[in-house]
C-alpha cells in the first residue's frame, strides 16, 4: 500500500500529529510519501528525521516543477508523448479537459498527477480541508485512487464561515476523518454523509514514569505551548496571570510560553507593561525534545485559546499527567473535565483568573487530575492503537 500525505507545509512544529501519523505508518510497513506546498527547511519538528528518511520522502512544487514556462511546456508534452499508448494517457487528457472546463485548476497540477502515476500511489491522504479541495481534481479525472481528508481546526472554521466551501469534497472524497465529536457535528452540518465520516482521534505517545509531583514547597511551573497568534489568546493568559499574581503574591510560580509567531513583539511588550518579566519566559519556537523536557518540568498546563477543535497540545500535556486549565472551545470539554482532569473556563480574563485560583486552592488534587487524564490518554488517544485504526480505514474505503 502506497500512501501520499498531502499537506500545506512540512514539517511544522505545531503539527506533530501529522509527523506522528507518518512515522507510525512507516513503522507498520506502509510506504509513505509526502507532498507539500512548502517544504520547511527547519527540520526541528521531526524526531528521527534521518532514521525514517523523511527528507527524501518529502517534496514540494520546487521538486517537480520545471523552472521556466518553456521548460514546463516541454516537460508536459514529453509526459503526454511518453504516455500515448498507455492507460495513463486518458488521465492526462481528462485533466486537460478539466483544465479547460474549470478555471480554478492550474496547469502545474499536471506535474502532481504525473508524480502520483509514476509512484503508483494508492491513497491520497490530505490534512486540512482546503488541501482536500486542491486534491479533488484527481477524482474528477477518474484517477483510480482513494481520497481521504482529515479535518482539524481552522478548516472547520472555514466551513462554518463559507457556505458550500467543501461542495466538491462532499461529492468526491471517499472518506473524511473527524478528530473529535465537535468536528463530526460540524462535518455533518456541512453536508458530509455519516457513512463517509470516520472518527479517529489524534494520537500521542503514552508517557510512563512521570510519577507524582512534589509541588507543595517549591516554585510552581505553569506551561503553555502554541503559536503566538491571536487565536491562542496569550493576551488573555498574560492579563489573567498578572491579576492572579497581584492578588496572590504569596504563591511562587513561573509561567513558560513555548511558541513563535507574529505577535511575539506585541506580547513581550504586554509582558513588560504588566511587569511580568521576572515570572514569564518566552522560549519561542523549539523542537519536540525541548517541549518534552518542559512538559516533564511543568506542574500545570494552561490553554487560553479563542478557537480550537481538539488541541493536540492538551493531549500531550495530559500524557505527562499534567492538570489542565483550558478555555471551553471546540471539543476541549471532552478532555478537560471540571475537578476531574482540571478546570474549564470561559474565554475571559476574569474566568481564567478564577480557574487559576480554583486550581491552586485544590493543589492537593493535582496528582489525581493528572492520573485521570493519563488514563483517558491510554484508553482513547494512544497513537500505537490509533495507527492500526487508520490502516483499517485505508483498507476498507
Amino acid at each position: 500500500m502506497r500512501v501520499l500525505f498531502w499537506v500545506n507545509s512540512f514539517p511544522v512544529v505545531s503539527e506533530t500529529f501529522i509527523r506522528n501519523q507518518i512515522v507510525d505508518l512507516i513503522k507498520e510497513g506502509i510506504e509513505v510519501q509526502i507532498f507539500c506546498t512548502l517544504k520547511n527547511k527547519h527540520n526541528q519538528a521531526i524526531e528521527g528525521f534521518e532514521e525514517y528518511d523523511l527528507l527524501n520522502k518529502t517534496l514540494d512544487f520546487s521538486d517537480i516543477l520545471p523552472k521556466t514556462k518553456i521548460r514546463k511546456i516541454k516537460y508536459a508534452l514529453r509526459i503526454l508523448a511518453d504516455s500515448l499508448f498507455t492507460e495513463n494517457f486518458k488521465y492526462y487528457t481528462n485533466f486537460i479537459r478539466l483544465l479547460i472546463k474549470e478555471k480554478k485548476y492550474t496547469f502545474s497540477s499536471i506535474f502532481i498527477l504525473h508524480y502520483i502515476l509514476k509512484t503508483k500511489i494508492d491513497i491520497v491522504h490530505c490534512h486540512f480541508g482546503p488541501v482536500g479541495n486542491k486534491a479533488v481534481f484527481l477524482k474528477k479525472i477518474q484517477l483510480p485512487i482513494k481520497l481521504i481528508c482529515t479535518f482539524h481546526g481552522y478548516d472547520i472554521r472555514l466551513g462554518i464561515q463559507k457556505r458550500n466551501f467543501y461542495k466538491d469534497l462532499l461529492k468526491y472524497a471517499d472518506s473524511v476523518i473527524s478528530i473529535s465529536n465537535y468536528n463530526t457535528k460540524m462535518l455533518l452540518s456541512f453536508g458530509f454523509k455519516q457513512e463517509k465520516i470516520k472518527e479517529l482521534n489524534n494520537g500521542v505517545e503514552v508517557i510512563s514514569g512521570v510519577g507524582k509531583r512534589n509541588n507543595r514547597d517549591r516554585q510552581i511551573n505553569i506551561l503553555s505551548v502554541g503559536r503566538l497568534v491571536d487565536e491562542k489568546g496569550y493576551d488573555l493568559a498574560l492579563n489573567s496571570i498578572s491579576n492572579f499574581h497581584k492578588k496572590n503574591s504569596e504563591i511562587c510560580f513561573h509561567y513558560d510560553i513555548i511558541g513563535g509567531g507574529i505577535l511575539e513583539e506585541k506580547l513581550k511588550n504586554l509582558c513588560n507593561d504588566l511587569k511580568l518579566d521576572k515570572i514569564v519566559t518566552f522560549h519561542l519556537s523549539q523542537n519536540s525534545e525541548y517541549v518534552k523536557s518542559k512538559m516533564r518540568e511543568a506542574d500545570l498546563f494552561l490553554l487560553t485559546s479563542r478557537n480550537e477543535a481538539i488541541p493536540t497540545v492538551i493531549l500531550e500535556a495530559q500524557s505527562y499527567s499534567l492538570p489542565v486549565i483550558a478555555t471551553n472551545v471546540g471539543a476541549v470539554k471532552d478532555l478537560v473535565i471540571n475537578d476531574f482532569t482540571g478546570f474549564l473556563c470561559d474565554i475571559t480574563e476574569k474566568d481564567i483568573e478564577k480557574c487559576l485560583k480554583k486550581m491552586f486552592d485544590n493543589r492537593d488534587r493535582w496528582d489525581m487530575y493528572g492520573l485521570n487524564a493519563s488514563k483517558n490518554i491510554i484508553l482513547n488517544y494512544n497513537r500505537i492503537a490509533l495507527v492500526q485504526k487508520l490502516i483499517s480505514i485505508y483498507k476498507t474505503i
Side-chain angles (χ1 to χ4, degrees):
M1 185 188 298
R2 293 185 176 94
V3 180
L4 178 71
F5 269 63
W6 192 336
V7 296
N8 284 314
S9 182
F10 188 82
V12 179
V13 175
S14 60
E15 295 174 2
T16 55
F17 45 88
I18 296 176
R19 177 206 67 201
N20 289 348
Q21 220 169 61
I22 290 168
V23 167
D24 292 343
L25 286 169
I26 292 171
K27 286 180 179 178
E28 293 298 320
I30 305 297
E31 292 185 45
V32 179
Q33 299 292 324
I34 305 142
F35 177 76
C36 54
T37 307
L38 177 66
K39 193 189 299 183
N40 190 342
K41 294 179 181 178
H42 302 291
N43 300 324
Q44 61 178 348
I46 294 186
E47 297 172 16
F49 192 72
E50 294 83 7
E51 182 181 355
Y52 299 105
D53 199 26
L54 294 182
L55 177 62
N56 289 326
K57 295 178 187 296
T58 304
L59 71 156
D60 62 12
F61 275 113
S62 67
D63 296 308
I64 62 173
L65 276 182
K67 303 302 180 186
T68 67
K69 188 174 181 179
I70 295 296
R71 287 180 180 176
K72 286 178 187 176
I73 293 170
K74 286 182 177 179
Y75 187 32
L77 290 172
R78 190 166 79 241
I79 289 170
L80 289 171
D82 290 345
S83 67
L84 189 57
F85 299 106
T86 71
E87 188 181 4
N88 289 345
F89 185 70
K90 69 179 179 182
Y91 303 125
Y92 293 119
T93 54
N94 286 349
F95 173 74
I96 291 169
R97 291 190 192 100
L98 179 67
L99 202 61
I100 295 168
K101 182 181 177 182
E102 298 188 37
K103 305 299 182 185
K104 61 184 174 182
Y105 297 110
T106 65
F107 180 73
S108 297
S109 295
I110 197 170
F111 301 110
I112 302 174
L113 171 59
H114 177 60
Y115 174 78
I116 289 172
L117 287 169
K118 183 176 67 174
T119 52
K120 299 180 180 179
I121 296 296
D122 301 301
I123 295 169
V124 175
H125 186 165
C126 302
H127 275 269
F128 298 102
V131 177
N133 279 349
K134 293 177 184 176
V136 157
F137 84 91
L138 297 168
K139 299 294 287 186
K140 287 185 175 182
I141 63 172
Q142 300 175 12
L143 195 67
I145 51 97
K146 297 297 183 181
L147 177 62
I148 298 175
C149 184
T150 297
F151 281 78
H152 295 277
Y154 88 89
D155 47 358
I156 291 290
R157 293 192 290 277
L158 276 176
I160 295 169
Q161 294 162 8
K162 300 180 180 181
R163 187 176 176 82
N164 296 323
F165 188 68
Y166 298 117
K167 65 178 182 178
D168 281 350
L169 204 53
L170 282 168
K171 182 178 179 180
Y172 290 100
D174 293 287
S175 182
V176 291
I177 293 178
S178 167
I179 62 168
S180 68
N181 293 332
Y182 172 78
N183 277 19
T184 298
K185 180 181 176 183
M186 291 299 103
L187 290 169
L188 288 169
S189 75
F190 300 162
F192 285 99
K193 293 179 181 179
Q194 181 71 65
E195 58 267 27
K196 277 193 175 184
I197 301 172
K198 309 296 182 184
E199 297 191 342
L200 182 75
N201 298 327
N202 280 340
V204 293
E205 183 181 0
V206 174
I207 305 300
S208 59
V210 176
K212 293 183 177 181
R213 291 173 167 86
N214 181 15
N215 54 41
R216 289 188 174 277
D217 302 311
R218 61 167 175 80
Q219 173 183 283
I220 297 299
N221 297 316
I222 304 173
L223 178 65
S224 290
V225 180
R227 292 170 296 129
L228 303 182
V229 294
D230 183 67
E231 69 187 56
K232 299 302 180 182
Y234 282 116
D235 56 321
L236 300 174
L238 291 172
N239 282 311
S240 302
I241 287 284
S242 175
N243 293 332
F244 177 77
H245 182 56
K246 288 174 185 175
K247 297 174 185 176
N248 302 275
S249 57
E250 76 283 0
I251 297 177
C252 180
F253 70 90
H254 193 87
Y255 181 36
D256 293 296
I257 299 172
I258 301 177
I262 58 174
L263 295 183
E264 178 187 337
E265 185 177 354
K266 184 177 180 180
L267 290 170
K268 284 182 174 180
N269 288 337
L270 175 60
C271 186
N272 290 331
D273 292 344
L274 294 171
K275 297 181 171 56
L276 293 175
D277 49 297
K278 290 184 179 180
I279 64 170
V280 175
T281 300
F282 288 89
H283 297 262
L284 303 183
S285 183
Q286 298 292 339
N287 63 34
S288 54
E289 288 302 318
Y290 188 90
V291 174
K292 287 179 180 180
S293 69
K294 285 298 177 184
M295 288 279 189
R296 286 191 179 276
E297 294 173 8
D299 300 287
L300 169 64
F301 192 84
L302 176 64
L303 181 135
T304 55
S305 294
R306 292 182 168 92
N307 287 298
E308 291 283 359
I310 186 163
T312 303
V313 71
I314 288 185
L315 299 175
E316 291 169 342
Q318 291 184 329
S319 73
Y320 282 86
S321 301
L322 287 173
V324 176
I325 294 173
T327 43
N328 189 7
V329 292
V332 169
K333 63 184 177 183
D334 294 340
L335 300 174
V336 182
I337 302 167
N338 279 324
D339 202 30
F340 188 76
T341 61
F343 292 98
L344 276 177
C345 51
D346 295 333
I347 314 170
T348 65
E349 294 168 13
K350 183 177 181 181
D351 209 44
I352 296 167
E353 179 195 346
K354 181 180 175 182
C355 279
L356 281 165
K357 182 68 167 66
K358 200 181 296 184
M359 183 67 87
F360 276 90
D361 286 345
N362 288 276
R363 199 186 299 189
D364 60 333
R365 299 170 68 82
W366 289 10
D367 284 333
M368 183 196 76
Y369 297 158
L371 180 62
N372 291 337
S374 180
K375 286 179 179 177
N376 183 42
I377 296 299
I378 292 168
L379 286 173
N380 299 305
Y381 298 94
N382 183 343
R383 57 187 275 197
I384 295 173
L386 290 171
V387 73
Q388 298 300 329
K389 187 174 179 181
L390 177 59
I391 292 171
S392 177
I393 291 171
Y394 287 165
K395 289 179 177 179
T396 55
I397 56 171

